[in-house]
Amino acid sequence: MIDGHGKRYLDGCGGAAVSCLGHSHPALIKAAQQQIETLPYAHTSFFTTDVMEELADTLVDSAPGMGKVLLVSGGSEAIEAALKLSRQYFVEKGEPTRHLFIARRQSYHGNTLGALAVGGNEWRRKHFAPLMMPGNHIAPCFAYRNKRDDESPEQYAHRVAEELEDKILDLGPSNVAAFVAETVVGATAGAVPPLPGYFERIRDICDQHGIHLILDEVMCGTGRTGSMMAYEQEGIVPDIVTMAKGLAAGYQPIGALLCRHEITDLISKGSGFFQHGHTFMGHATAVATSLATLKVIEKENLLDNVISQGDAIQARLFADLGDHENVGDIRGRGLLIGVEFVANRDTKEPLDPAKKTHNHVQRTAFENGLLCYGMGGTIDGRVGDHVLIAPPYNISDNHVDELVNKFTAAVTASFTQA
Ligand SMILES: Cc1ncc(COP(=O)(O)O)c(C=O)c1O
């Protein structure tokens, strides 16, 4: 990116993990232009469009177990639609008491009231709490912070998954509609992948109590972690999954909700329609651009690049910063990478939140010509600092070097100045 003064930046985070194909991919620009010339927009109550049909087919083909797609304009809209779809399904199934959602602390699901209610970030929620439905939160699967030394990773994963069972029993199983979780936690906790076995146990618990598993892949989906859907790496299939951010690579705003056939079949045979909608749903120009994005990812074999460059970046970060006294953890999956900062590596004591170290690192990197995404409140919404690295899927070896060199320099300078 080049700013108004001609200064050049390497985009190492794509805004918030959005710009997955850089900022000037000719295929995406052409797709948007062509669609505007053909038909920029058509309201979905009158028409479907060729590109909408093709995108829906492409998404269903690339999301194992999913049967239907709803195209919206962003991540929060996709989450709102997911909550409402789950609720409507249970009402039509004759289980109208199911109205509660369980989610996890240290997750972000969007800024609209329903999404904020299920989100587990205290700082974002607190002003609006009186306006929201009650939040029911359990612990995240966050081994660096919460695994006890006397537990194996498997024991820890099992322990935190069991919190879902306890919460369901607490709320009354017949009152619960769904469990909502980011498959790989993105911005709030800083790129935290689940441990093996965690989502398998979560799936079992949801099945046992007849509740939906809604996975939020707004940030970690669309190839960001090396598979088109992040859940493919967990050996499970959700009931509903949301996507947005990278879906049109930032060239257009778009989001999507996918669900199992069983959900739409029941509603089709019942009321016949999902009682929900937005004016810009399935916006033709956004949809055409999204379709082009998915084609580029496939044609340029970019999921392989996501995996190999993600590994390369993590290896380089370990080499350059693995011994730094203020770097507590380097983690992530594919090109969703987080670096957590601490005051003391041995005790994992966090930094003083008043110092806003995450901001300091982000600002120093910005001055050095690197965009990365700093966040505070990593541990509990108040304390903890991390920076997210989420470069485009087509990042080259040279840009990996530049990214790691500039990031290392920013971290070193930030702690030297502090
Ligand atoms: C995991 C997750 N879900 C939902 C959202 C909300 O998406 P949007 O900002 O497009 O409404 C975000 C945005 O950061 C997100 O990271």
Side-chain angles (χ1 to χ4, degrees):
M1 299 191 92
I2 303 167
D3 73 13
H5 304 286
K7 183 174 168 186
R8 302 178 76 86
Y9 302 85
L10 177 68
D11 189 352
C13 61
V18 172
S19 306
C20 63
L21 295 177
H23 296 279
S24 54
H25 199 294
L28 274 59
I29 295 167
K30 190 168 159 208
Q33 279 173 343
Q34 276 183 348
Q35 189 60 43
I36 288 182
E37 285 163 13
T38 313
L39 175 76
Y41 165 77
H43 196 282
T44 49
S45 65
F46 296 101
F47 291 108
T48 175
T49 53
D50 292 346
V51 281
M52 209 171 141
E53 300 287 345
E54 195 180 339
L55 180 63
D57 288 342
T58 308
L59 285 174
V60 163
D61 287 347
S62 50
M66 298 297 109
K68 291 277 183 189
V69 180
L70 180 79
L71 296 165
V72 292
S73 300
S76 303
E77 268 188 30
I79 289 286
E80 295 292 330
L83 303 179
K84 287 177 73 178
L85 183 64
S86 177
R87 168 69 187 157
Q88 186 174 331
Y89 169 86
F90 286 118
V91 172
E92 300 212 16
K93 197 176 175 211
E95 300 181 34
T97 54
R98 291 193 185 271
H99 68 292
L100 298 175
F101 295 92
I102 302 173
R104 302 187 298 182
R105 295 189 287 279
Q106 290 311 98
S107 282
Y108 180 60
H109 297 298
N111 253 332
T112 48
L113 288 174
L116 207 53
V118 288
N121 182 314
E122 280 313 314
W123 170 77
R124 290 182 198 264
R125 291 166 52 92
K126 68 177 181 221
H127 288 325
F128 309 104
L131 310 182
M132 297 187 298
M133 61 182 176
N136 303 291
H137 294 112
I138 61 169
C141 184
F142 190 178
Y144 172 68
R145 279 287 160 201
N146 301 322
K147 186 180 88 54
R148 294 193 306 253
D149 290 344
D150 63 351
E151 284 176 315
S152 67
E154 294 74 23
Q155 285 168 331
Y156 168 68
H158 193 79
R159 172 165 68 85
V160 278
E162 288 311 307
E163 285 200 20
L164 177 60
E165 171 92 17
D166 295 344
K167 185 59 97 179
I168 293 170
L169 295 177
D170 214 34
L171 295 168
S174 60
N175 293 323
V176 180
F179 175 60
V180 187
E182 289 173 83
T183 317
V184 177
V185 183
T188 310
V192 183
L195 287 175
Y198 174 77
F199 272 113
E200 284 171 26
R201 180 66 193 128
I202 290 285
R203 182 69 266 184
D204 285 347
I205 295 170
C206 291
D207 288 344
Q208 192 186 329
H209 294 287
I211 74 172
H212 288 146
L213 173 59
I214 300 176
L215 290 181
D216 179 351
E217 300 205 354
V218 165
M219 186 178 269
C220 64
T222 328
R224 173 62 57 198
T225 62
S227 48
M228 187 50 72
M229 310 306 293
Y231 70 77
E232 291 175 70
Q233 299 180 49
E234 301 309 313
I236 51 121
V237 170
D239 299 290
I240 300 175
V241 61
T242 57
M243 309 169 78
K245 295 201 187 273
L247 198 51
Y251 289 69
Q252 288 284 304
I254 189 167
L257 167 158
L258 287 82
C259 70
R260 286 186 194 244
H261 255 307
E262 189 209 342
I263 295 179
T264 46
D265 285 352
L266 184 126
I267 293 175
S268 301
K269 287 182 200 133
S271 67
F273 96 117
F274 178 33
Q275 204 171 317
H276 186 68
H278 294 285
T279 303
F280 292 124
M281 260 176 19
H283 191 287
T285 308
V287 164
T289 315
S290 175
L291 197 50
T293 302
L294 301 184
K295 285 181 180 165
V296 167
I297 292 172
E298 194 186 355
K299 191 163 150 224
E300 299 183 10
N301 220 2
L302 291 180
L303 295 185
D304 288 350
N305 205 53
V306 168
I307 294 168
S308 59
Q309 298 296 35
D311 289 348
I313 293 173
Q314 283 212 43
R316 286 280 318 273
L317 289 173
F318 274 111
D320 291 7
L321 290 169
D323 292 329
H324 191 289
E325 58 181 333
N326 299 105
V327 174
D329 196 23
I330 298 166
R331 57 181 174 244
R333 190 179 281 173
L335 286 175
L336 187 60
I337 297 168
V339 179
E340 183 172 337
F341 302 108
V342 288
N344 182 318
R345 274 171 70 87
D346 298 327
T347 62
K348 302 183 184 175
E349 183 194 334
L351 292 148
D352 176 0
K355 288 194 174 156
K356 294 194 183 303
T357 306
H358 57 280
N359 264 348
H360 204 75
V361 175
Q362 178 178 320
R363 228 179 23 248
T364 312
F366 187 83
E367 281 156 18
N368 293 348
L370 172 69
L371 306 181
C372 55
Y373 187 63
M375 278 280 270
T378 315
I379 303 169
D380 59 3
R382 199 184 63 81
V383 178
D385 292 88
H386 69 263
V387 170
L388 211 59
I389 295 170
Y393 304 170
N394 49 3
I395 188 170
S396 63
D397 293 346
N398 286 347
H399 282 147
V400 166
D401 284 343
E402 184 181 340
L403 187 156
V404 177
N405 291 341
K406 285 183 168 170
F407 185 73
T408 302
V411 172
T412 310
S414 298
F415 286 100
T416 310
Q417 287 157 22

